[in-house]
């Protein structure tokens, strides 16, 4: 379907395309970082995982479906590392714990998070902490030392810091760090407002009842 030379797509098509692109971005990120670590070897001073910030962005955009990105990233990470089934459980189930942040978006509100720098930063920090605790808890269940794994995970502060930076950048891009249903409604409202301005020739102005009554009295006096 075309209108004025542009192709119109349904919300379902838009959603599937958007989710596919973010899945590709997450996978490419992990592949680049994996081979970069191999290339640098012992010279690499830190590691970084893009999982938390990208999953939280998808969570803001589409909600619960972001759990598949958390689990998928954990599986890809372990497969690239050639890890054991225990590692697969630790990263897949541990990463899935980030879904607890759905409660944060539910009770705080996505719009409040999007508009506040501090709530956005807290969003990332909580996502990182929940993921670390989730991985450590699963590690303890499969026979590892909880404290050891927890401390090891907590030292990965670089992931949290870079995650905060990524989210702060994304929230400054129009519509990127926003519930997409809300974003599409907002864009449609803006389009209708622009069409209304074009129709009437200028921008609508709100006039109070008091001002309107004064203008009417002046018109009566002039008559």
């Amino acid at each position: 379907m075309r209108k004025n030379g542009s192709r119109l797509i349904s919300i379902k098509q838009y959603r599937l395309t958007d989710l596919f692109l973010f899945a590709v971005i997450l996978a490419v990120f992990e592949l680049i970082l994996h081979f970069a670590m191999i290339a640098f070897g012992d010279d690499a001073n830190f590691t970084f995982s893009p999982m938390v910030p990208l999953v939280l962005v998808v969570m803001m955009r589409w909600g619960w479906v972001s759990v598949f990105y958390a689990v998928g990233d954990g599986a890809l990470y372990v497969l690239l590392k050639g890890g054991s089934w225990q590692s697969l459980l630790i990263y897949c189930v541990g990463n899935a714990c980030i879904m607890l942040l759905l409660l944060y978006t539910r009770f705080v509100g996505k719009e409040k998070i999007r508009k506040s720098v501090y709530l956005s930063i807290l969003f990332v920090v909580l996502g990182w902490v929940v993921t670390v605790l989730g991985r450590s808890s699963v590690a303890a269940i499969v026979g590892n030392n909880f404290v050891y794994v927890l401390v090891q995970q907590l030292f990965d502060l670089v992931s949290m810091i870079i995650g905060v930076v990524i989210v702060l950048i994304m929230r400054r891009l129009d519509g990127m760090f926003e519930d997409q249903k809300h974003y599409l409604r907002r864009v449609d409202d803006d389009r209708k407002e622009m069409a209304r301005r074009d129709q009437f020739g200028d921008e609508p102005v709100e006039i109070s009842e008091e001002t309107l009554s004064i203008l009417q009295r002046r018109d009566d006096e002039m008559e």
Side-chain angles (χ1 to χ4, degrees):
M1 180 177 180
R2 291 182 178 273
K3 183 178 181 181
N4 298 328
S6 62
R7 182 173 181 269
L8 301 179
I9 63 173
S10 67
I11 292 180
K12 182 179 180 180
Q13 289 173 316
Y14 173 79
R15 182 172 182 262
L16 289 174
T17 302
D18 192 68
L19 291 172
F20 174 75
L21 289 175
F22 271 95
V24 171
I25 291 170
L26 186 59
V28 169
F29 246 119
E30 283 291 359
L31 289 170
I32 290 174
L33 291 169
H34 172 73
F35 289 110
M37 292 299 297
I38 292 175
F40 285 103
D42 295 334
D43 294 330
N45 295 320
F46 63 88
T47 59
F48 162 63
S49 172
M51 190 278 293
V52 170
L54 290 180
V55 167
L56 293 180
V57 169
V58 175
M59 187 182 293
M60 283 288 288
R61 293 170 74 87
W62 299 110
W64 65 269
V65 72
S66 53
V67 67
F68 296 110
Y69 291 76
V71 174
D73 181 84
L76 179 60
Y77 176 81
V78 174
L79 290 174
L80 289 172
K81 296 290 185 182
S84 62
W85 66 268
Q86 292 95 334
S87 296
L88 195 63
L89 277 178
I90 290 169
Y91 280 91
C92 288
V93 179
N95 285 4
C97 291
I98 201 172
M99 287 301 100
L100 291 173
L101 270 294
L102 284 170
L103 297 174
Y104 183 77
T105 63
R106 176 71 176 84
F107 291 107
V108 175
K110 289 183 178 180
E111 273 302 282
K112 285 186 178 180
I113 298 170
R114 179 177 73 88
K115 292 179 178 179
S116 171
V117 173
Y118 301 108
L119 290 177
S120 296
I121 293 174
L122 181 60
F123 190 41
V124 181
V125 173
L126 288 176
W128 180 75
V129 170
V130 167
T131 302
V132 167
L133 290 173
R135 290 173 180 171
S136 302
S137 299
V138 177
I141 292 172
V142 297
N144 292 292
N145 185 286
F146 174 82
V147 176
Y148 174 79
V149 176
L150 178 64
V151 172
Q152 190 178 40
Q153 293 280 323
L154 287 175
F155 272 112
D156 185 23
L157 291 173
V158 174
S159 290
M160 184 189 73
I161 295 170
I162 298 180
V164 168
V165 173
I166 289 174
V167 166
L168 291 180
I169 292 173
M170 295 288 275
R171 67 180 294 275
R172 295 183 65 86
L173 304 176
D174 187 38
M176 288 300 295
F177 193 62
E178 182 176 0
D179 184 284
Q180 290 303 282
K181 292 181 181 178
H182 179 274
Y183 170 69
L184 293 173
R185 283 195 298 267
R186 179 167 63 82
V187 170
D188 188 56
D189 289 342
D190 290 343
R191 180 186 60 79
K192 290 178 181 177
E193 180 63 23
M194 289 300 296
R196 182 185 175 193
R197 292 181 184 181
D198 290 341
Q199 180 180 359
F200 289 99
D202 53 17
E203 184 176 350
V205 178
E206 291 186 3
I207 302 177
S208 66
E209 292 183 4
E210 182 181 356
T211 303
L212 186 60
S213 63
I214 293 172
L215 291 174
Q216 288 174 341
R217 284 201 302 270
R218 287 182 180 178
D219 288 340
D220 292 340
E221 292 173 358
M222 290 179 67
E223 292 177 357

